[in-house]
Amino acid sequence: MNKLVMTGATTMIALAGAAHAQSSVTLYGLIDAGLTYTNNQITGTGSGHSNWQMTSGAVQYSRWGLRGAEDLGAGLSAIFTLENGFNLNNGQLSSSNRIFNRRAYVGLSSRDYGALTLGRQSDSMVDFVAPLSLTGTEFGGTHFAHPLDNDNLNDSFQINNSVKYTSPNFAGFKFGALYGFSNQAGAFTNNRAYSFGMSYVWEALNFGVGYLQLNSSARTPGQLNTNGAVTDTTGASLQGALAPTGVPLGVLASSQKTFGLGVNYTFGPAVAGFVYSHSKLAQFFQTGLSGTFQNFEGNFRYALTPAVELSGAYTYSRAGGNGGGGIPHWNQLSAMADYRFSRRTDVYFQGAWQRVSPSGTSPLGVAWINGVSAPSSTTNQVEATVGLRHRF
């Protein structure tokens, strides 16, 4: 009898332990493929030509990933995410030297105290401001980004070596902060990053604000701390206009300070929003010059039916600084229509028109819609894409 009781007790303890340590791993992903027309792209001779091409990630970058959680009890969980971006056209990784180039982190999440994670992660502009801009959502995406994605609302680069805290939801209020280490001995600030932000949701109103700062001692690619916080390209790589291909704006300046805020208001099947962002670069790329980008975006979404969603945005952006040679400003109109076959599969048609003026002698004096493979040879550029997305 005693042996039976002991066996039963042992079984109950084992079952309790199994229930206590429940864990899960989920495979997920998104595939975005399309056909894109661009009216004017620079060729090797400098003249502009139209381009018909197959594209991957015209709205959202194609990706796959693994996410997991283990229940540690008392509302505490161990969590991880590993996410890879890829080019659907040829199957290549988006980044040649990274398996999980979009996200790679592990941490602890508490129901009462929030989440603390370590690894390669997105900054607070992406977390708190981007969802209020069409470029940061499935309703606009890559081509809707502000010029050169200068505020990173399209999540063009992530932060390496980062420690990140995200609070729980306090009656609609959330906040978070991130710090990315330089990982360089004797040069604590050479290619480091830090960011913080917050959001508040009250009934139909959704508000968010964020800040991102990058610091670097680099002035040329050879001086770049390649083990530091930021080593990606910006969304539309500058390709020699201001900096070499593959090097982000902020890392070739002594600092980049980006601030943004946004608000959305929902009424019935419609959502209207406004986003403002400001990026300041100091002592940029061997020139000692400083410059700024300001972006003003108004956006609108309307659910025509449960299956059909219409969206559009107007963005006015302007550059400033002591570079001379004509200070450019941009006007961009973007629109998209989306039809959902199911919760996971949809087709879309979207397009964007951009005009930059005045050109002066500024290297930014030609149009360049974000995500288009080459800039225009003039001050105007148009792109149109028809595409298919599938989520799993």
Side-chain angles (χ1 to χ4, degrees):
M1 180 65 180
N2 289 338
K3 184 181 292 187
L4 180 62
V5 171
M6 290 297 294
T7 301
T10 302
T11 302
M12 291 298 291
I13 292 171
L15 289 174
H20 174 71
Q22 290 179 9
S23 61
S24 64
V25 176
T26 302
L27 172 68
Y28 69 94
L30 182 148
I31 302 170
D32 183 338
L35 300 175
T36 298
Y37 166 78
T38 310
N39 74 325
N40 192 4
Q41 289 189 14
I42 285 180
T43 63
T45 61
S47 59
H49 292 274
S50 60
N51 191 5
W52 292 88
Q53 59 190 132
M54 183 176 179
T55 52
S56 174
V59 177
Q60 292 177 278
Y61 299 120
S62 297
R63 69 199 72 168
W64 71 272
L66 299 168
R67 64 168 65 100
E70 180 187 14
D71 183 4
L72 302 177
L76 185 67
S77 298
I79 59 173
F80 76 87
T81 294
L82 302 171
E83 185 173 296
N84 161 258
F86 62 92
N87 186 328
L88 183 69
N89 297 351
N90 54 26
Q92 291 183 347
L93 302 177
S94 297
S95 176
S96 60
N97 60 346
R98 290 189 178 93
I99 298 176
F100 299 108
N101 61 299
R102 289 183 53 81
R103 285 170 185 81
Y105 63 82
V106 65
L108 295 173
S109 176
S110 167
R111 182 177 57 237
D112 299 321
Y113 302 106
L116 182 68
T117 50
L118 299 90
R120 178 174 167 83
Q121 304 173 85
S122 296
D123 64 80
S124 297
M125 289 290 292
V126 175
D127 292 343
F128 296 104
V129 183
L132 307 174
S133 167
L134 287 191
T135 186
T137 70
E138 63 182 300
F139 308 106
T142 305
H143 296 310
F144 284 40
H146 305 153
L148 306 174
D149 196 23
N150 63 82
D151 46 21
N152 201 36
L153 294 187
N154 195 46
D155 200 15
S156 295
F157 62 84
Q158 291 77 39
I159 310 298
N160 304 324
N161 317 322
S162 63
V163 179
K164 182 176 182 178
Y165 172 75
T166 305
S167 78
N169 190 322
F170 298 106
F173 175 76
K174 292 183 68 174
F175 64 92
L178 171 148
Y179 187 89
F181 289 85
S182 72
N183 276 14
Q184 187 174 42
F188 187 76
T189 64
N190 183 17
N191 196 1
R192 70 166 179 178
Y194 58 89
S195 184
F196 51 85
M198 55 79 66
S199 65
Y200 180 67
V201 179
W202 180 68
E203 296 182 352
L205 190 67
N206 189 349
F207 173 79
V209 61
Y211 178 80
L212 168 66
Q213 180 160 336
L214 311 178
N215 291 98
S216 179
S217 300
R219 293 295 180 274
T220 66
Q223 295 175 345
L224 176 64
N225 172 17
T226 57
N227 294 316
V230 182
T231 51
D232 301 278
T233 64
T234 50
S237 175
L238 297 183
Q239 296 193 1
L242 284 177
T245 303
V247 180
L249 280 171
V251 177
L252 288 181
S254 63
S255 70
Q256 176 178 337
K257 302 175 181 178
T258 298
F259 165 79
L261 59 85
V263 61
N264 279 177
Y265 185 79
T266 302
F267 48 102
V271 179
F274 173 79
V275 171
Y276 169 79
S277 66
H278 181 280
S279 294
K280 180 178 181 180
L281 294 100
Q283 299 179 347
F284 183 69
F285 190 47
Q286 293 183 303
T287 64
L289 302 176
S290 299
T292 61
F293 291 88
Q294 291 189 82
N295 308 283
F296 305 82
E297 176 190 330
N299 56 66
F300 186 78
R301 298 181 357 232
Y302 184 79
L304 192 62
T305 72
V308 178
E309 183 101 23
L310 306 177
S311 57
Y314 166 72
T315 298
Y316 172 75
S317 302
R318 63 189 182 194
N322 57 0
I327 302 300
H329 58 270
W330 295 261
N331 289 276
Q332 180 164 318
L333 287 171
S334 310
M336 177 171 168
D338 183 80
Y339 177 77
R340 292 184 179 272
F341 291 111
S342 68
R343 184 176 59 86
R344 294 165 51 185
T345 304
D346 61 317
V347 293
Y348 62 84
F349 176 77
Q350 60 110 269
W353 168 83
Q354 184 185 102
R355 176 178 175 82
V356 58
S357 60
S359 60
T361 59
S362 168
L364 294 175
V366 295
W368 195 353
I369 295 170
N370 190 68
V372 171
S373 56
S376 170
S377 61
T378 70
T379 58
N380 293 275
Q381 192 170 57
V382 172
E383 73 80 25
T385 301
V386 57
L388 171 69
R389 279 184 298 190
H390 179 73
R391 305 160 184 83
F392 60 90

